[in-house]
Amino acid sequence: MLTIYSDDHHLHHGRCELMDGQLMPCFEMPSRADHVLQRVRDRNLGPVQAPTDFGLAPLQRVHSRDYLDFFQGAWARWAASNLDGDLLPYTWPARTLRRVLPSSLHGQLGYYSFDGGAPITAGTWQAAYSAAQVALTAQQAIQHGAHSAFALCRPPGHHAASDLMGGYCYLNNAAIAAQAFLDQGHAKVAILDVDYHHGNGTQSIFYARSDVLFTSIHGHPEAEFPFFLGYADELGEGAGEGFNFNYPLPAGSGWERWSAALDSACDEIERYAADIVVVSLGVDTFKDDPISQFKLDSPDYLVMGSRIARLGKPTLFVMEGGYAVAEIGINAVNVLEGFETEGATQ
Ligand SMILES: [Zn+2]
């Protein structure tokens, strides 16, 4: 399987995040992608290539121009104030407040974010931009006939909505790739989000549309981030009604319960008759993940990959979360190897 990877992810390294009342070093750190890349090489998964630059146009198909302009220019505005630290929001237009766009940097940052979990540093725009190009380059490989490809994106993307950053995410790599498939002639794309956290950004981008089926298996938002989206009764709206399926699971869920949800999601993808499957591949479902509560073990990820392969569809894997850094490479590459092994026997 071809892997697309850019060293630019090192340009993004947030200093701290607020967790359980304390400022902690960011769990979303550069060594995550380094470990995955090392495992790809150790297992001889296939060639590793740098991304092609497709420019801003495919990003603008998913994200609003004002959001992209704000994100691209935010660090320069912050640096001009000579403050030493990451740019982090602290006020949001929640209920009772007005959704107005202020002129101040911090006002605008609150407007364009939904939490304080997406620090902007000097290199964040470039890292996120390159991650989107990684996803688009892997998408192109499938567009040109590959059965599968792995976009080793960092920072991740599935929490980012059309004009909102949050949850370590800035640009929605999976959504940008899904939209590119549609723009290049495909009629139906299914997204399977297996990250521990609900892909709220992806859901919101496609919620009113029938050309993208969104399915997500995740920690129940009653108890887990992002709390305010990801419930089972969110089925889509308007033309998108019936094209959104959430499988929220309780803390402590292991492979048996998780894989039953995967079977259900795969049934929906088969019923939909998708042309292409885009997998938002987070491996923070792992039993030793420091911020998550599921109990999947490393061999389970091989089975996950083989189940996805049995869909028989061209499949783009897009890296999302996973914070047990020592095991992230093993678990992510296990999914890809399980997919390839199953595909070879079909
Ligand atoms: Zn996650």
Side-chain angles (χ1 to χ4, degrees):
M1 188 184 301
L2 171 67
T3 295
I4 308 297
Y5 166 83
S6 168
D7 265 330
D8 281 358
H9 78 86
H10 287 116
L11 297 170
H12 173 64
H13 190 179
R15 288 193 202 178
C16 60
E17 65 177 273
L18 188 60
M19 167 78 73
D20 298 334
Q22 303 205 50
L23 284 174
M24 316 262 292
C26 288
F27 287 99
E28 201 294 294
M29 61 183 77
S31 57
R32 298 177 55 251
D34 297 339
H35 276 83
V36 178
L37 179 66
Q38 189 59 48
R39 184 70 176 179
V40 163
R41 293 203 159 119
D42 289 349
R43 298 294 299 169
N44 290 314
L45 185 73
V48 177
Q49 293 177 8
T52 302
D53 188 350
F54 295 93
L56 277 172
L59 283 56
Q60 292 166 343
R61 296 285 295 139
V62 162
H63 294 286
S64 70
R65 291 192 185 213
D66 59 315
Y67 172 74
L68 292 170
D69 287 346
F70 168 77
F71 178 27
Q72 187 169 9
W75 179 259
R77 294 168 66 187
W78 178 238
S81 60
N82 289 319
L83 291 167
D84 177 42
D86 295 351
L87 177 54
L88 281 166
Y90 55 80
T91 309
W92 295 273
R95 291 182 312 284
T96 76
L97 297 179
R98 186 172 158 197
R99 200 163 294 177
V100 65
L101 184 63
S103 59
S104 101
L105 175 60
H106 268 290
Q108 294 188 354
L109 187 60
Y111 181 87
Y112 288 120
S113 59
F114 70 87
D115 73 356
I120 294 178
T121 72
T124 300
W125 163 261
Q126 185 59 49
Y129 177 87
S130 293
Q133 304 301 332
V134 164
L136 286 163
T137 305
Q139 178 268 334
Q140 277 295 291
I142 292 173
Q143 187 69 21
H144 291 136
H147 182 63
S148 61
F150 176 39
L152 209 182
C153 295
R154 181 183 169 271
H158 73 147
H159 294 305
S162 170
D163 61 355
L164 287 172
M165 57 185 72
Y168 311 146
C169 299
Y170 307 85
L171 301 175
N172 196 315
N173 306 309
I176 290 166
Q179 183 64 49
F181 279 121
L182 295 170
D183 290 342
Q184 292 162 25
H186 294 283
K188 293 182 181 182
V189 176
I191 296 178
L192 172 64
D193 190 321
V194 299
D195 188 279
Y196 175 74
H197 303 95
H198 178 246
N200 59 293
T202 316
Q203 170 172 313
S204 71
I205 287 165
F206 298 116
Y207 201 58
R209 290 168 49 175
S210 62
D211 53 356
V212 175
L213 176 80
F214 179 70
T215 61
S216 180
I217 308 163
H218 48 267
H220 202 296
E222 289 270 15
E224 267 299 352
F225 181 90
F227 301 110
F228 305 106
L229 211 63
Y231 295 79
D233 64 351
E234 296 157 11
L235 298 170
E237 66 183 12
E241 193 168 351
F243 298 97
N244 195 92
F245 292 93
N246 285 322
Y247 303 91
L249 302 179
S253 292
W255 176 250
E256 196 171 334
R257 184 179 275 154
W258 197 95
S259 63
L262 177 62
D263 285 338
S264 298
C266 287
D267 288 347
E268 294 297 344
I269 291 169
E270 287 190 342
R271 200 168 299 144
Y272 182 65
D275 301 326
I276 303 278
V277 175
V278 175
V279 179
S280 266
L281 178 58
V283 291
D284 38 7
T285 47
F286 181 56
K287 63 183 175 63
D288 294 331
D289 193 276
I291 62 171
S292 306
Q293 307 295 331
F294 284 174
K295 299 296 173 200
L296 271 56
D297 206 348
S298 293
D300 296 330
Y301 293 94
L302 287 163
V303 188
M304 185 190 300
S306 69
R307 177 67 187 88
I308 295 168
R310 287 205 299 280
L311 288 168
K313 304 289 185 186
T315 302
L316 170 61
F317 292 92
V318 179
M319 193 73 216
E320 302 283 4
Y323 307 98
V325 174
E327 294 91 354
I328 184 176
I330 294 167
N331 295 336
V333 175
N334 272 3
V335 175
L336 308 176
E337 291 195 291
F339 181 93
E340 289 218 305
T341 304
E342 179 71 25
T345 61
Q346 283 198 330

